[in-house]
Amino acid sequence: MDLQGIKDHWQTWAKEYGTDLRATTKGVTAKALEVDALCRCIESLYGADAAMKVLEVGCGNGVNCFKLLERFPKYSFTGLDFVPEMIESAKSVKSELDLPDERITFGVANVMELPTDLAVYDLVITDRLLINLNTTALQVEAIGKLAKHVKPGGHMIMIENSTTTYDRQNRARVLAGLPARTPYEFNLFFDEKEIIAGLAKAKLELVDTEDFGSLHDLVLYVLVPMLNGGVVDYDHPLVKAATDLSIAVSAEEKNSFGSYGQNRLYKCRKLAAD
Ligand SMILES: C[S@@+](CC[C@H](N)C(=O)[O-])C[C@H]1O[C@@H](n2cnc3c(N)ncnc32)[C@H](O)[C@@H]1O
């Protein structure tokens, strides 16, 4: 899909679903896992008591920023998204919660054309943003642009879909007698070889990866469909149980369920100033 088509898609969902989580995902349980993984990663980097500055690009209607602000009340958050309706929704939640600008701000921006006066942050986050760029070259370019807004010694956390783990998940489906799935036409999953090679150019070092969604995705996309004629059922009680178990286990040990989740967390450190 071309870039305008991708933007149109997100604009449609923003208008249809407003402040609801559904504007940015069909997966309530997957979102709970993403937020948990982000919180654990940030806590391990900076703890909860510091006053860190965080930027999320592709923030949608602000779900991550609001959740992280609850968990890290001393941090300040900036959310940017290229769909004005997403940002209007984020701002309306902000005013409902009566949150001041010092704690959280939102603005309209395309990751490929970030504002020239955008600050430098302790931490920059993407969560299923870069998979909306339709070539790997553009994804690498965007990582370079984002990395310019990370302080030296600061971090960039990307939660993005990977072909590596998606292929493993699909292999499990095929072994179970199910057809392989294909990504949405508005998504291009990470080609990790190219992406990881591109990190060095952005002066980023890959410190860690986490497969926080493996058990969840095996249950949602393989095991439940094996039992019910191939249907992916987001509301199946086992999916919620897998989510709860994953969160509990991950608090003690990460990556316990293999590499079958389509979302991966990439923790990167900025090595030097630009
Ligand atoms: C899958 S949603 C994720 C939203 C949010 N990160 C979350 O996890 O809840 C992807 C978001 O990225 C935004 N987006 C896609 N391409 C973008 C671009 N080039 N620049 C800025 N935002 C973009 C979309 O408008 C959408 O809100």
Side-chain angles (χ1 to χ4, degrees):
M1 189 183 271
D2 67 17
L3 292 173
Q4 186 57 48
I6 294 169
K7 187 169 179 182
D8 291 346
H9 159 77
W10 289 114
Q11 196 143 29
T12 304
W13 278 24
K15 285 182 183 162
E16 197 165 339
Y17 299 107
T19 57
D20 196 274
L21 177 63
R22 182 64 182 78
T24 53
T25 184
K26 287 185 185 167
V28 175
T29 48
K31 174 46 77 187
L33 289 169
E34 288 177 355
V35 169
D36 178 64
L38 280 174
C39 285
R40 283 186 292 99
C41 186
I42 296 171
E43 173 93 45
S44 74
L45 287 171
Y46 301 116
D49 288 330
M52 311 310 284
K53 281 177 58 175
V54 182
L55 169 70
E56 182 185 7
V57 181
C59 67
N61 55 12
V63 173
N64 288 336
C65 291
F66 293 118
K67 292 275 182 206
L68 292 175
L69 187 63
E70 267 174 37
R71 177 71 189 80
F72 301 99
K74 295 186 181 162
Y75 287 31
S76 64
F77 293 86
T78 300
L80 301 176
D81 199 284
F82 74 166
V83 169
E85 290 82 354
M86 290 284 187
I87 294 302
E88 279 164 31
S89 295
K91 286 182 174 173
S92 85
V93 175
K94 176 185 162 180
S95 73
E96 264 167 46
L97 296 173
D98 199 20
L99 292 167
D101 286 350
E102 306 84 73
R103 298 190 66 199
I104 192 160
T105 55
F106 293 100
V108 177
N110 188 325
V111 68
M112 302 310 295
E113 295 155 19
L114 291 170
T116 46
D117 60 350
L118 187 64
V120 174
Y121 293 82
D122 299 298
L123 176 62
V124 172
I125 294 172
T126 71
D127 186 350
R128 288 170 294 116
L129 161 72
L130 298 166
I131 54 168
N132 293 290
L133 296 168
N134 60 4
T135 66
T136 302
L138 273 182
Q139 293 173 343
V140 170
E141 194 182 332
I143 289 171
K145 288 176 186 291
L146 290 165
K148 288 190 188 307
H149 295 279
V150 182
K151 281 182 187 164
H155 292 84
M156 183 150 127
I157 302 174
M158 301 181 283
I159 291 183
E160 300 287 343
N161 298 56
S162 154
T163 53
T164 311
T165 49
Y166 192 66
D167 289 350
R168 286 175 69 85
Q169 187 190 108
N170 266 334
R171 180 69 191 140
R173 277 178 63 93
V174 169
L175 290 170
L178 297 162
R181 295 165 60 240
T182 46
Y184 289 124
E185 54 180 342
F186 51 88
N187 285 161
L188 176 70
F189 288 4
F190 267 12
D191 172 340
E192 287 191 349
K193 201 164 156 258
E194 298 290 324
I195 296 290
I196 290 169
L199 293 179
K201 271 189 276 170
K203 299 184 182 160
L204 291 170
E205 171 194 27
L206 181 62
V207 180
D208 202 5
T209 57
E210 184 180 346
D211 290 312
F212 57 86
S214 289
L215 179 65
H216 171 273
D217 283 10
L218 277 176
V219 170
L220 175 63
Y221 296 118
V222 186
L223 288 163
V224 169
M226 281 170 78
L227 301 177
N228 69 1
V231 174
V232 172
D233 177 2
Y234 291 90
D235 298 321
H236 195 286
L238 270 179
V239 176
K240 173 76 170 66
T243 306
D244 294 345
L245 180 63
S246 283
I247 289 174
V249 170
S250 300
E252 295 190 350
E253 191 178 5
K254 295 185 300 179
N255 293 316
S256 295
F257 299 105
S259 302
Y260 294 94
Q262 59 196 36
N263 273 0
R264 245 184 177 176
L265 181 148
Y266 304 84
K267 175 163 95 178
C268 305
R269 195 166 71 90
K270 178 79 181 280
L271 293 172
D274 292 291

